[in-house]
Amino acid sequence: MTTPTGDNSLIDPGVARSLAAAVPRSYWLDQADAPEPLPALAGSVTADLAVIGGGFTGLWTALLARERYPHLDVVLLEAKTVGWAASGRNGGFCSASLTHGIGNGLERFPDEMPLLEKLGEQNLREIGEAVARYGIDCDFQPTGELALAAEDWQLDGLDEEAVAARHFGHDVEVLDAAGARAELSSPRWTGGLKYTTGNAMLEPGRLAWGLLRACLAAGVRVYEHTQVTALTPAAGQAGMRLRTPYGSVRAGKVALAAGVPGGSLLRRVGAYVVPVWDYVLMTEPLSAAQLDSLGWRDRRGASDLGGQFHYFRLTRDNRVLWGGYDAVYYNGGRIREEHASRPETYRKLAEQFFTVFPQLEGVSFSHAWGGVIDTCSRFCAFFGTAHAGRVAYAAGYTGLGVGATRFGAQVLLDKLQNEESERARLTLVNSRPVPFPPEPLRSAVIQATRASIARADRNAGRRDLWLRTLDRLGLGFDS
Ligand SMILES: Cc1cc2nc3c(=O)[nH]c(=O)nc-3n(C[C@H](O)[C@H](O)[C@H](O)COP(=O)(O)OP(=O)(O)OC[C@H]3O[C@@H](n4cnc5c(N)ncnc54)[C@H](O)[C@@H]3O)c2cc1C
């Protein structure tokens, strides 16, 4: 039964009801015990290291700087509040992968993959250790994850993926339809993969707030509502000058950890990253019977295997987070706050949710939100320096940065301190992605790619000429 809406499309009344009370805020940040904002920087200060950005990259950079080099005086400047951007809006999948999956890594860094996988596993282990050491209550659960096929064509290549993953030491099982449904009950699954290693689930907002507390306890000076508006060499002396609305910082070194907006401070960053919006729904807590109907006993985070894919997980109070599918690039690439909410995507996501989990009919969504993914053409982070090595930057995590940002922070410090290590010598660390063309070609290329991925999903995964060309150029991505 459907009801006509003003724009001539049809909306199921159950879907409409499910969304009616959803507040347009990240559930992770919409918590009664959210920290009070810290005062903005007023006046001029100096520091050995200034970190721009209070997402995971910046927070880990500041904290690890104090751990690795206790003599350094560190300042962190955040334009709004710590964790308000991607770091507080994501799915909370903390993957060991530094390359956005083994397939993407093998494609781009085949010789380095054994080391990259080893460093990624070490990074994930050290995140768990830091969470325990600093007493961060972010429900860190090393569950592994499920990759589930919703169409027969999505089963193609799963055996090969499992072989490659086992080669790198992962514990992975290929599931048939019954096996997949036993892990998480849905009539849609035709099979999948069950990883018991390589991923932890966590609450991203609480991780950001916990890292903030750890930074403050370690002596980092953190200023919120302090946007850096200019980054220039300091006059007549070594170091950099950072201009802010009510003051300035003179710093010996600068770590630029600002995601896509970092491009406005350093043009070379802007050439490589584009803002792609991703949207998320969160349900009310499920009843015991509803939870039971899912059979989601091991509580592994999950995603499906479409080109336009969903990711989904349970929270500690038994809500279901359901996100992904529409990855939206707004022509021109300006980041506007009004894009943080997109009812047409929420509607699509809700319809798909009830198709995958018909047993949850009647469940409502409490929150719906969007966030910016800093997307680059190689789908994993890139790094570099500017201003004669006084500035180092990291960006381009492309939707898999909850874990990789800590690795990125280590790289930033290696670069700023001229450290020699196997990590510092990696091609992944020293090469950059293919830049995006300037607008308006940039919008045309990205929209063509989005349309082709959607077409491939409708066409049993067959990639059209455009996607095959991107694949040949090393610019293609298959989730
Ligand atoms: C909806 C969504 C779902 C996702 N799901 C997952 C997932 O499940 N797993 C996963 O691994 N990854 C996921 N990601 C990606 C992950 O969230 C990011 O890779 C990661 O949070 C990036 O952290 P960051 O610190 O580099 O950037 P951000 O979190 O974007 O932080 C950058 C910070 O810099 C600040 N800033 C910018 N400019 C300035 C300036 N001039 N002065 C001062 N401060 C400035 C911003 O205000 C912001 O707080 C998801 C992302 C989104 C949006």
Side-chain angles (χ1 to χ4, degrees):
M1 175 64 185
T2 48
T3 309
T5 61
D7 63 356
N8 287 337
S9 56
L10 300 171
I11 181 161
D12 179 275
V15 167
R17 260 196 311 277
S18 75
L19 289 166
V23 296
R25 286 194 289 280
S26 165
Y27 166 77
W28 307 118
L29 302 176
D30 190 23
Q31 304 291 323
D33 57 347
E36 287 297 315
L38 297 165
L41 173 64
S44 298
V45 297
T46 59
D48 298 316
L49 171 66
V51 179
I52 305 177
F56 291 143
T57 305
L59 291 162
W60 281 117
T61 304
L63 184 59
L64 287 165
R66 294 288 299 154
E67 287 182 1
R68 281 171 58 170
Y69 313 104
H71 61 281
L72 286 188
D73 178 21
V74 182
V75 162
L76 187 150
L77 307 163
E78 163 53 46
K80 294 202 176 175
T81 50
V82 158
W84 84 282
S87 296
R89 304 185 191 205
N90 59 70
F93 290 63
C94 186
S95 173
S97 178
L98 305 175
T99 56
H100 213 140
I102 290 174
N104 191 46
L106 284 172
E107 183 104 337
R108 296 172 198 286
F109 314 103
D111 300 338
E112 284 183 351
M113 274 305 277
L115 178 55
L116 286 168
E117 282 288 302
K118 186 189 94 176
L119 293 174
E121 285 297 331
Q122 179 185 337
N123 184 55
L124 180 59
R125 193 173 57 249
E126 289 174 356
I127 291 173
E129 288 165 4
V131 162
R133 189 166 64 254
Y134 290 109
I136 299 176
D137 179 23
C138 66
D139 198 28
F140 182 92
Q141 304 283 349
T143 57
E145 63 188 317
L146 301 169
L148 298 166
E151 308 282 348
D152 281 344
W153 63 266
Q154 294 174 6
L155 299 169
D156 292 348
L158 292 191
D159 289 323
E160 291 81 352
E161 186 177 329
V163 169
R166 285 187 200 116
H167 174 75
F168 291 115
H170 288 286
D171 179 31
V172 55
E173 185 185 335
V174 181
L175 304 172
D176 60 12
R181 293 171 194 197
E183 290 295 326
L184 172 56
S185 180
S186 165
R188 294 299 308 279
W189 309 142
T190 57
L193 293 174
K194 175 168 89 174
Y195 286 86
T196 60
T197 55
N199 184 64
M201 301 307 299
L202 54 75
E203 296 178 348
R206 291 194 185 282
L207 176 60
W209 296 338
L211 290 173
L212 169 62
R213 268 193 303 276
C215 281
L216 293 170
V220 177
R221 287 172 288 152
V222 180
Y223 299 99
E224 296 190 311
H225 294 292
T226 301
Q227 180 174 6
V228 177
T229 53
L231 174 64
T232 49
Q237 53 210 307
M240 300 295 296
R241 180 162 184 274
L242 294 75
R243 194 148 20 96
T244 67
Y246 313 128
S248 66
V249 180
R250 209 184 66 229
K253 298 281 171 75
V254 175
L256 181 59
V260 179
S264 65
L265 295 174
L266 209 54
R267 276 175 63 181
R268 71 185 68 176
V269 174
Y272 298 113
V273 275
V274 295
V276 173
W277 286 86
D278 194 43
Y279 296 91
V280 181
L281 300 179
M282 183 72 93
T283 70
E284 297 283 2
L286 301 185
S287 67
Q290 287 164 336
L291 182 63
D292 207 42
S293 77
L294 291 174
W296 209 341
R297 270 170 289 282
D298 293 325
R299 307 177 75 89
R300 288 191 181 91
S303 54
D304 59 49
L305 289 160
Q308 290 184 288
F309 64 95
H310 304 92
Y311 46 89
F312 30 107
R313 61 165 295 180
L314 285 171
T315 62
R316 76 169 115 177
D317 64 347
N318 297 324
R319 297 165 190 266
V320 180
L321 176 148
W322 174 257
Y325 194 78
D326 265 351
V328 182
Y329 179 75
Y330 295 93
N331 286 347
R334 292 275 305 280
I335 299 176
R336 296 175 197 276
E337 203 37 46
E338 72 240 36
H339 294 152
S341 197
R342 194 167 196 264
E344 64 201 275
T345 292
Y346 300 153
R347 211 173 99 180
K348 199 183 297 176
L349 281 172
E351 283 163 3
Q352 292 162 339
F353 177 82
F354 291 113
T355 306
V356 172
F357 301 119
Q359 66 272 46
L360 295 185
E361 190 187 343
V363 163
S364 295
F365 297 100
S366 62
H367 294 75
W369 69 93
V372 169
I373 288 184
D374 57 334
T375 301
C376 74
S377 65
R378 72 181 199 186
F379 314 109
C380 56
F382 60 89
F383 311 92
T385 57
H387 295 289
R390 285 172 289 180
V391 178
Y393 56 87
Y397 296 96
T398 318
L400 206 70
V402 171
T405 42
R406 182 179 177 280
F407 174 86
Q410 300 276 32
V411 172
L412 287 178
L413 293 172
D414 291 346
K415 288 200 177 288
L416 291 172
Q417 300 297 118
N418 294 317
E419 298 283 4
E420 268 298 313
S421 66
E422 56 183 3
R423 179 173 59 217
R425 285 190 294 274
L426 285 165
T427 306
L428 172 128
V429 161
N430 294 297
S431 61
R432 267 169 293 286
V434 174
F436 290 97
E439 293 286 6
L441 186 57
R442 179 178 289 200
S443 291
V445 165
I446 294 169
Q447 304 304 7
T449 307
R450 291 184 61 231
S452 287
I453 291 172
R455 213 163 21 247
D457 277 349
R458 290 193 301 272
N459 207 5
R462 278 189 289 279
R463 294 166 83 75
D464 63 12
L465 182 62
W466 174 247
L467 291 182
R468 291 200 307 276
T469 306
L470 292 180
D471 291 343
R472 269 197 301 277
L473 295 172
L475 301 172
F477 184 59
D478 188 351
S479 71

